[in-house]
Amino acid sequence: MGIELDTDTLIVVVSAVGIGLTFCALGLLLTGRAGGRRYQRRLNTMQERAQGIATSEWAAARSLSRQQSATRIDRFAGNWLPRRDLLLARLERTGRAISIGKYAMTAIGLGALSAIGFAIGTGIGIVPSLVIGLLVGTAVPHLVIGRMGKRRLARFINLFPDAIDLVVRALRSGLPVTETLGLVASEIPGPVGEEFKMVTDRIKVGRTMEDALQETADRLNTPEFSFFVITLAIQRETGGNLAETLSNLSEVLRKRAQMKLKIRAMSSESKASAYIVGALPFVVFSMIWMVNPGYIGKFFIDERLMVTGLGGGVWMAIGAFIMAKMVSFEI
C-alpha cells in the first residue's frame, strides 16, 4: 500500500529535509577543525600568561568567551538568537556542556521533524504544519532546558545546608575560609561540589573570593546561595563569629525548605484541579479527532473556527496564568 502525498506535503517534506541536510553539512564543515582551534587558543593563552600579559580579569573574560563561542556555529547562533546572555545563563544552570550552537541545531531539527510529521500524518497543509513545527521547535527545547535547570537547582538547595555545616565544622577546627570552600568541593557530591569546585578554580587563577562567589550567585540566581555570599561579605567588613553566623544560616535554610514542602502539600489540590481543567479541552479535542477527524479538522480550514480556537486558547492561557499565580507563594 503506497502513501499518497499532495503537492503541499511534498514541498514541506523536501524543504525540511533540505534544511536539515544543509545544517548538518554546515555543522560538519565548521566543527571539523574546532579541536585544533581550541588547542591553539589554549597554547596562546598559556604563552601570554607566562609572559605576564594575562591578568586575572582578562583570563576570566577570555575563558567565558571560549565557552560562548567555541565554534562558528555557536557564534552564528549567538548572533541571531534573541537575549543571548539569558539563554547562556539557562544553559549553564543545567550543569551540562550544552552550547548555544547545539541548542539551536536541536531546535531546528525538532521543528523540521514536527512539521514533516504533521504534514504527512494529518494532511493539514503547509502553513499549519510549519506553524506547528515552529512552535514545537521553540517551546520544547526551552521547556526541557528550564526543567533540567530547575532539577539541578533543587538538588543544589537540598544539599546546600549540609555544605554550610561542613564549612562551620572546618572553621571551628581552625581552617581558613578559602580552604573550607575547597573541602566542600571535594566532600559534597552533586551540584554543590561542582559549583564550589568552580569557585576554588577561580580563586586559584587570581580572582578574589567575593568576586568568585558573586559570579556563581549571579549564575544560580537562588536566594539560598545569595544569603551565603552576603553573610561572608558582611563578616569580611564587620568581623564577628563567622561559624556561628553560618550555623544560624544553615538552620534558617532548613526551615525554609520545610516551609516550602508544607506549602506544596497545601496547594497540591488546587494545582491538580488547575491541571485537570487546563488539560480537559485538549483531551476532548484529541478524542474527537480520533473518532471523527473530518469534523474536527475544520478547525484548520474554516477561518471562523480558527479565530474562535485562537480566542479560546488566549482565554485559557489567561486563566492558567491566574491559577498559577494563585497557588504560587514566595518564601
Side-chain angles (χ1 to χ4, degrees):
M1 181 183 297
I3 299 176
E4 296 182 359
L5 301 177
D6 56 7
T7 304
D8 293 339
T9 305
L10 287 175
I11 293 175
V12 173
V13 173
V14 173
S15 301
V17 172
I19 292 173
L21 292 177
T22 301
F23 274 96
C24 290
L26 183 62
L28 292 175
L29 179 63
L30 296 180
T31 59
R33 294 179 295 175
R37 290 195 300 270
R38 287 195 295 268
Y39 171 78
Q40 188 63 37
R41 285 197 299 267
R42 182 177 297 179
L43 182 61
N44 294 335
T45 302
M46 295 302 296
Q47 292 176 351
E48 290 168 350
R49 286 181 181 178
Q51 295 172 0
I53 298 177
T55 62
S56 61
E57 292 79 9
W58 183 89
R62 183 70 177 271
S63 177
L64 180 61
S65 176
R66 287 199 302 267
Q67 293 176 3
Q68 294 177 350
S69 303
T71 63
R72 294 181 183 177
I73 293 180
D74 296 335
R75 291 193 293 268
F76 178 80
N79 292 331
W80 285 95
L81 288 176
R83 306 182 70 178
R84 173 188 177 185
D85 296 337
L86 180 59
L87 176 59
L88 183 61
R90 287 172 55 85
L91 295 176
E92 289 179 348
R93 290 192 192 104
T94 62
R96 302 185 182 184
I98 304 176
S99 64
I100 294 180
K102 292 179 181 179
Y103 178 86
M105 295 292 290
T106 302
I108 292 172
L110 186 60
L113 291 176
S114 301
I116 294 173
F118 274 93
I120 296 176
T122 62
I124 59 177
I126 182 172
V127 176
S129 298
L130 291 177
V131 171
I132 294 174
L134 178 62
L135 292 176
V136 172
T138 303
V140 172
H142 180 80
L143 295 176
V144 171
I145 291 297
R147 181 65 176 174
M148 292 171 60
K150 289 181 180 179
R151 291 179 60 183
R152 183 173 184 269
L153 186 59
R155 294 196 302 268
F156 180 91
I157 294 174
N158 290 333
L159 292 174
F160 190 53
D162 297 335
I164 296 179
D165 290 340
L166 180 60
V167 172
V168 171
R169 292 194 296 269
L171 289 174
R172 288 175 176 171
S173 64
L175 292 177
V177 179
T178 54
E179 293 293 333
T180 61
L181 299 181
L183 185 63
V184 172
S186 60
E187 295 295 332
I188 302 297
V192 175
E194 295 172 0
E195 294 295 337
F196 275 85
K197 179 65 167 56
M198 288 188 285
V199 170
T200 56
D201 290 342
R202 296 190 194 99
I203 295 175
K204 290 179 181 179
V205 298
R207 304 291 297 275
T208 63
M209 185 182 68
E210 290 79 5
D211 293 339
L213 289 172
Q214 187 60 46
E215 184 177 345
T216 302
D218 294 338
R219 186 179 67 257
L220 293 177
N221 193 23
T222 176
E224 285 79 2
F225 194 81
S226 298
F227 294 158
F228 177 73
V229 175
I230 293 172
T231 300
L232 293 181
I234 292 176
Q235 193 274 338
R236 287 262 181 167
E237 294 291 335
T238 62
N241 191 345
L242 180 59
E244 185 67 24
T245 304
L246 292 179
S247 178
N248 294 333
L249 176 61
S250 175
E251 183 178 358
V252 170
L253 294 182
R254 284 193 169 90
K255 291 182 178 179
R256 177 186 173 91
Q258 293 176 1
M259 182 61 66
K260 286 184 177 181
L261 293 177
K262 290 181 180 179
I263 291 177
R264 182 182 299 177
M266 295 174 63
S267 61
S268 59
E269 182 179 357
S270 300
K271 289 182 179 179
S273 301
Y275 292 150
I276 294 173
V277 172
L280 187 60
F282 299 99
V283 173
V284 173
F285 187 91
S286 301
M287 293 176 64
I288 298 176
W289 181 288
M290 290 186 294
V291 174
N292 192 353
Y295 173 77
I296 204 68
K298 294 180 180 179
F299 270 94
F300 303 104
I301 301 174
D302 195 335
E303 295 180 356
R304 294 172 298 178
L305 292 177
M306 290 182 182
V307 174
T308 303
L310 290 176
V314 170
W315 282 110
M316 285 187 58
I318 295 174
F321 177 77
I322 293 174
M323 287 188 291
K325 288 297 183 182
M326 291 175 63
V327 298
S328 178
F329 301 92
E330 293 292 337
I331 304 300

